[in-house]
Amino acid sequence: MEHVPALDEDLKKTLGPATAKVLAEQLGLHTALDLLHHYPRRYAERGELTSLAELADQIDEHVTVVAQVADARILTFNGGRGKRLEVTITDGSGRLQLVFFGAGVHKPHKDLLPGSRAMFAGKVSRFNHKLQLAHPAYEPLGAEASDRDAAAAFANQLIPIYPACAKLESWKIAKCVDAVLPGAQEAVDPLPPALREGRGLVPLTEALLKIHRPGTKADIEDARQRLKWDEAFVLQVALARRRHADSQLPAAPRRAVPGGLLDSFDAKLPFTLTQGQQTVSKEIFDDLATEHPMHRLLQGEVGSGKTMVALRAMLAVVDSGGQAAMLAPTEVLAQQHHRSITEMMGELAEGGMLGGSDRGTKVVLLTGSMGMPARRQALLDLVTGEAGIVIGTHALIEDKVQFHDLGLVVVDEQHRFGVEQRDALRSKGKQPPHLLVMTATPIPRTVAMTVFGDLETSVLDQLPAGRSPIATHVVPSKDKPHFLARAWERVREEVEKGHQAYVVCPRIGDGEDEPRKKAAEDDGDRRPPLAVVEIAEQLARGPLAGLAVEVLHGRMDPADKDDVMRRFAAGEVKVLVATTVIEVGVNVPNSTVMVIMDADRFGVSQLHQLRGRVGRGSAPGLCLLVSEMHEASPARARLAAVAATLDGFELSRIDLEQRREGDVLGQAQSGVRSSLRMLAVIEDEEVIAQAREEATRVVAEDPALERLPGLRTALDALLDTEREQYLEKG
C-alpha cells in the first residue's frame, strides 16, 4: 500500500532532501500541510492557451506559459563552432522566442517540433527589442489521443499553474503536490459543522482535492469559496478571542467631572467641534466610563482633528484623578504634539505653576534626547501625579518611568509601534489603562476588521471649518521640464505672499545612505533617488536663491531638528527641504505649498499623508508631484490617482489593490508568508464581515474552543510566534 504522508511530516521523507530543501528555502514550505496550502495561482486549459500578450509587463519575472511551437531552427556562430537553437512559440495572442545554447540545443530540438504544445517556464528578458526566455524549462503536453473522447478530455483538462521559483518549475511543484495529496484526507476541518453546512461549503478534504486537481471550473469555485472562509474565519476567531480576553480585564472607570478641566477647556475653544468630533468623543467617553479597558482605533483623514478628540479624552481622564500618556513614533512628532497641546490648553497646561489655572494640570514632554535636569523633573512630575498629561516617544516605556495613576494611553500612528511597547506602557498602570490608537492612514473597513480586529473603530471623515482644499498636480519633469521651472516659480510666489513651502525628497544624501544610493544605481537604468542635502543646495543657489532654505531629516541631532522646526513654525524658515520625517503630525498652518520630488518612489498612502501637511490654514494648499516616469507607466497612474481625489479611504483601496494582499498582514515587513493565500481583503468584504459575526458568536459561546478541537489546531498553526506578534502590532 502506498505511503500516505502525515500532514505534519517533513517533506524530506516524501520528496527527498534536495527537493525539500528548495521548497523550504525558496517558498517557505516545510511540511505536507504547507504544500497542500500552496494553491495554484491560476489554471491553464490545453484547449485555450494562456496569453503571451501580457508578458511585456513581466520583464525579469519568472513566468509559466502554455503555447504551441511555430518554428525551430539551429543557427551557428563563431565560424560554426557555436550553436544556438531559436524556437518561436505562439498562443494566438502573441509570439515569444526561446533560445538554447551550446550542448543544450539537441534535446529541445528533438522535443519541440513545430505544431507540438508544451508548458514553458523561465525568466522573461528583452533582447534586440524582442521578448525571450533563455534556456527555459519545458514540459511537453503529449500528442493528441486518437480516440475523439480522449482527445476532448485532454484538451479540456485544467492544468494548475503554481507560484514557482527559478529552481522549481510549476509542473515539478505539481508532481510534489501529487505525492502529498493522499494525505489531504487526514486534514482536520477548522469550521464548526453547523457553520459549514449552514453556508453550503464543501468539506476541507474535498476543497483541497478540488483546488489542486479540479475536473471543472465549478470545482475551482467550490474550493475557493471554502478556503476563503477558512482563512477569514480562523483569523477572525483569533481576533474575537483577543477582544473577549480584553473584555474580561478590569479597568478603573474614568468619567469626566462636571465643571472640571474638560469643561474649562471646551469653554475657551474659539470654534465649535465638528459633528464627527462630537460623535466620536461620545463613543470614547462611553468606553472610558466602563469597568473594562477601552480598545478603540480612531482613524481620521489628515487634518480632521484627531488630536483635539484625543486631548479631550485625556482631559476627562485627568478630571477623574488619572493620568494620560501620548506615545508618538518620533521625537519631532512628540515635540510637535507637546507644543500644539500646550498652546491649545493655554494656562490650563500650567497647573501648579505661577500664572497657571487652579483647574490646570502639568503637561510634560519626555524624550530620549532631553537633558538630565529636565528629564529628572519630568519623571518626578509623573510619579507624584503633578503632571496629568505626558507626551513622549518610546522613552516613556523605560523601566524607570513610573506613573502615579496611568488611566489612558493614546498611541499616535499605531503602525509604528510594536506589541511589546504597547504592553510595556500598559503595564505601568495599577490596572490596565484604557487604550486609544490614532491613525491618519485611512483604512478600508475590511482591512480594519482584518488587521485591527481587536479594536472598536471610530472614523473622523469631516474636515474642521476653515480648512482649505488642496489642489494636487503631477509635474512630468522629464517630458516637460518647463513645468518644473514653473513649480519653483509657484513656490516663490507663495513665499512672496507671506506663506511657506515644503520640498520632500526620498533620500538624505549625507553620505550615510550611500548603500541605498548604490542599490538604486544597480536598479537598471534608474538614477539614484534625489537627496535632501543636494536638492537644498541646488535650490538655494538656483531657482529659490535669496529665500531662507533649510533642511530637516531623521539623522540630524535632535536639538538641531527641534531648532529648525521651531524656526519654520515661527515663519523664519521659508522653504523646508525634508525627508518623510514631516509625514505625520507636523502642523504649520502657514505652509501652503509642497513639492514632492521623485514622487513615484513613495506609496499612495504616504503621498496622501505628506500632502496633508499643507492647506492647514485658511489659504488654499497646493501639492506638486514631480516625476520623471513615463506617462503610460503604472507609477504615473498611481500619481494621477492621488491627484484625482482627496478621499483617503478611496486612495487606501487603490493602494491596497496595487500592493496586493501580502502586505495587509504585514508579511512584507516580517518576512513571513501571508496567511491570506485565497482571501482578497478588498474583494471579499462580505466573507470577512460574515466571518467576523460567526467568530464573535462562536467565541462568546465557547471562549476556550473546547468543543472545537479542529479550530483550535488551525489557530495554533496560524498563530505561530511571529504571526501572533504581527496581529497584535496591527
Side-chain angles (χ1 to χ4, degrees):
M1 190 179 150
E2 68 174 310
H3 167 67
V4 175
L7 293 180
D8 57 359
E9 188 170 288
D10 193 299
L11 288 170
K12 279 188 205 131
K13 274 193 179 174
T14 320
L15 305 174
T19 304
K21 185 169 186 248
V22 175
L23 286 169
E25 287 177 1
Q26 302 284 315
L27 298 169
L29 306 173
H30 302 276
T31 65
L33 189 63
D34 289 344
L35 188 50
L36 286 176
H37 285 302
H38 186 71
Y39 308 132
R41 177 178 285 146
R42 58 190 175 88
Y43 301 85
E45 290 180 71
R46 290 187 165 122
E48 168 204 315
L49 302 176
T50 45
S51 168
L52 294 180
E54 293 164 16
L55 294 185
D57 298 335
Q58 301 188 45
I59 300 292
D60 283 342
E61 286 193 25
H62 285 277
V63 297
T64 303
V65 296
V66 179
Q68 185 165 9
V69 177
D71 66 64
R73 56 207 175 118
I74 288 188
L75 306 171
T76 57
F77 54 95
N78 273 357
R81 290 194 300 279
K83 283 187 178 175
R84 181 170 84 241
L85 170 65
E86 288 186 358
V87 179
T88 305
I89 59 173
T90 177
D91 66 352
S93 78
R95 293 165 85 82
L96 179 67
Q97 193 163 58
L98 317 176
V99 289
F100 301 86
F101 294 97
V105 302
H106 302 297
K107 188 170 187 324
H109 194 220
K110 228 169 38 199
D111 293 341
L112 302 175
L113 300 171
S116 65
R117 288 172 195 271
M119 247 191 310
F120 302 92
K123 194 174 183 180
V124 183
S125 59
R126 204 185 282 280
F127 181 72
N128 281 346
H129 308 296
K130 278 188 185 169
L131 293 179
Q132 70 167 26
L133 300 183
H135 277 285
Y138 62 89
E139 175 89 339
L141 291 179
E144 298 290 320
S146 53
D147 175 59
R148 185 173 299 167
D149 293 344
F154 179 84
N156 293 325
Q157 190 180 340
L158 293 160
I159 305 163
I161 306 289
Y162 287 92
C165 60
K167 293 184 177 174
L168 210 58
E169 296 84 16
S170 169
W171 54 85
K172 288 185 182 161
I173 292 175
K175 286 174 181 163
C176 296
V177 170
D178 283 338
V180 299
L181 206 50
Q185 62 208 14
E186 304 300 321
V188 181
D189 200 322
L191 294 192
L195 188 160
R196 185 168 58 71
E197 285 151 20
R199 302 251 167 213
L201 300 168
V202 300
L204 179 59
T205 302
E206 188 181 325
L208 290 171
L209 291 171
K210 283 182 169 177
I211 200 77
H212 290 293
R213 300 295 173 260
T216 63
K217 287 182 177 172
D219 284 352
I220 299 169
E221 196 43 44
D222 284 352
R224 280 195 169 139
Q225 276 311 319
R226 164 61 216 244
L227 296 167
K228 277 179 182 181
W229 253 94
D230 279 16
E231 288 177 9
F233 182 68
V234 173
L235 191 59
Q236 291 302 334
V237 167
L239 294 164
R241 288 183 80 190
R242 178 151 314 114
R243 287 196 302 276
H244 183 269
D246 285 343
S247 72
Q248 305 304 302
L249 294 172
R254 308 284 178 174
R255 297 182 184 87
V257 176
L261 192 53
L262 177 61
D263 283 355
S264 304
F265 175 75
D266 283 350
K268 65 191 278 296
L269 279 180
F271 52 81
T272 313
L273 296 175
T274 64
Q275 184 55 53
Q277 284 174 317
Q278 291 175 31
T279 306
V280 169
S281 289
K282 183 179 183 319
E283 291 171 350
I284 291 171
F285 291 147
D286 288 350
D287 281 0
L288 288 173
T290 65
E291 294 183 354
H292 301 292
M294 164 173 81
H295 289 96
R296 190 165 282 280
L297 170 70
L298 170 57
Q299 41 170 331
E301 272 292 7
V302 177
S304 58
K306 292 181 301 299
T307 310
M308 172 62 70
V309 169
L311 175 55
R312 294 182 73 244
M314 293 196 284
L315 295 175
V317 169
V318 175
D319 275 344
S320 73
Q323 291 168 293
M326 182 184 250
L327 201 52
T330 63
E331 293 209 353
V332 168
L333 192 50
Q335 286 158 346
Q336 177 78 37
H337 276 317
H338 183 253
R339 201 173 299 134
S340 62
I341 283 174
T342 48
E343 278 167 15
M344 281 195 269
M345 287 176 64
E347 76 279 4
L348 295 174
E350 295 166 357
M353 290 147 85
L354 202 59
S357 162
D358 299 344
R359 294 206 182 102
T361 186
K362 257 193 185 180
V363 178
V364 299
L365 176 69
L366 191 62
T367 64
S369 66
M370 281 169 73
M372 219 40 228
R375 186 179 171 75
R376 209 173 280 127
Q377 185 59 52
L379 291 172
L380 187 65
D381 289 342
L382 286 180
V383 77
T384 58
E386 192 87 1
I389 295 176
V390 58
I391 295 150
T393 54
H394 54 272
L396 278 177
I397 297 161
E398 290 172 10
D399 290 345
K400 56 174 84 80
V401 180
Q402 293 190 347
F403 291 84
H404 176 65
D405 180 13
L406 181 61
L408 170 66
V409 175
V410 178
V411 178
D412 193 11
E413 290 304 314
Q414 153 74 356
H415 58 282
R416 295 164 188 241
F417 277 102
V419 59
E420 307 83 9
Q421 293 156 311
R422 210 163 89 179
D423 282 352
L425 194 51
R426 269 186 191 169
S427 67
K428 292 184 179 292
K430 292 172 183 161
Q431 288 186 313
H434 298 278
L435 176 71
L436 179 65
V437 167
M438 300 197 298
T439 176
T441 309
I443 304 161
R445 176 173 158 262
T446 42
V447 182
M449 283 194 294
T450 309
V451 177
F452 293 100
D454 58 333
L455 302 170
E456 298 302 324
T457 305
S458 294
V459 177
L460 270 180
D461 49 12
Q462 259 177 308
L463 289 187
R467 271 297 163 84
S468 306
I470 305 166
T472 308
H473 303 285
V474 179
V475 177
S477 55
K478 207 168 191 174
D479 312 345
K480 299 178 179 168
H482 58 288
F483 276 34
L484 183 58
R486 176 71 190 117
W488 301 128
E489 282 171 20
R490 284 291 291 114
V491 170
R492 212 174 244 292
E493 286 163 15
E494 286 300 309
V495 172
E496 280 162 7
K497 286 184 202 163
H499 298 305
Q500 290 160 277
Y502 297 102
V503 177
V504 180
C505 302
R507 196 165 61 86
I508 296 173
D510 60 355
E512 286 193 40
D513 53 5
E514 280 306 307
R516 187 171 154 198
K517 179 180 174 182
K518 184 79 191 80
E521 285 166 344
D522 295 341
D523 181 20
D525 328 334
R526 289 192 81 179
R527 58 159 174 72
L530 295 172
V532 167
V533 177
E534 292 150 22
I535 291 292
E537 260 176 51
Q538 288 168 22
L539 293 176
R541 284 203 313 267
L544 303 184
L547 302 183
V549 176
E550 297 252 1
V551 301
L552 180 73
H553 59 74
R555 279 206 288 269
M556 285 166 64
D557 179 86
D560 293 344
K561 268 193 285 198
D562 197 37
D563 178 54
V564 171
M565 269 320 296
R566 205 177 283 282
R567 287 187 294 115
F568 186 63
E572 294 164 30
V573 174
K574 299 301 178 189
V575 180
L576 190 62
V577 185
T579 56
T580 54
V581 71
I582 60 151
E583 181 184 348
V584 287
V586 173
N587 183 23
V588 179
N590 193 41
S591 304
T592 53
V593 59
M594 174 178 283
V595 181
I596 303 179
M597 308 302 290
D598 280 346
D600 48 90
R601 294 180 189 258
F602 298 96
V604 169
S605 293
Q606 202 171 26
L607 291 169
H608 183 59
Q609 283 285 338
L610 286 165
R611 146 174 86 180
R613 301 301 113 212
V614 295
R616 298 176 81 85
S618 52
L622 172 66
C623 178
L624 301 173
L625 307 173
V626 180
S627 171
E628 291 186 353
M629 298 304 275
H630 189 271
E631 193 171 0
S633 65
R636 276 285 291 278
R638 215 170 59 228
L639 298 184
V642 175
T645 180
L646 288 169
D647 181 340
F649 287 92
E650 177 54 33
L651 286 173
S652 67
R653 287 183 82 98
I654 293 168
D655 193 21
L656 189 61
E657 282 160 6
Q658 290 180 340
R659 286 189 299 130
R660 299 194 296 275
E661 305 303 330
D663 289 6
V664 176
L665 290 190
Q667 270 24 68
Q669 286 82 348
S670 71
V672 184
R673 284 175 314 133
S674 165
S675 69
L676 299 192
R677 298 176 179 87
M678 207 37 97
L679 199 66
V681 187
I682 293 286
E683 289 163 34
D684 297 317
E685 194 157 345
E686 216 171 291
V687 174
I688 293 169
Q690 290 170 359
R692 182 180 166 108
E693 274 173 39
E694 293 275 12
T696 306
R697 187 181 53 71
V698 164
V699 170
E701 289 169 8
D702 181 8
L705 307 178
E706 285 168 357
R707 300 191 290 281
L708 297 167
L711 179 53
R712 246 193 358 255
T713 307
L715 261 187
D716 293 342
L718 173 78
L719 298 179
D720 54 41
T721 325
E722 282 184 89
R723 162 145 257 105
E724 177 91 63
Q725 283 178 352
Y726 180 72
L727 269 176
E728 294 217 2
K729 281 176 187 167

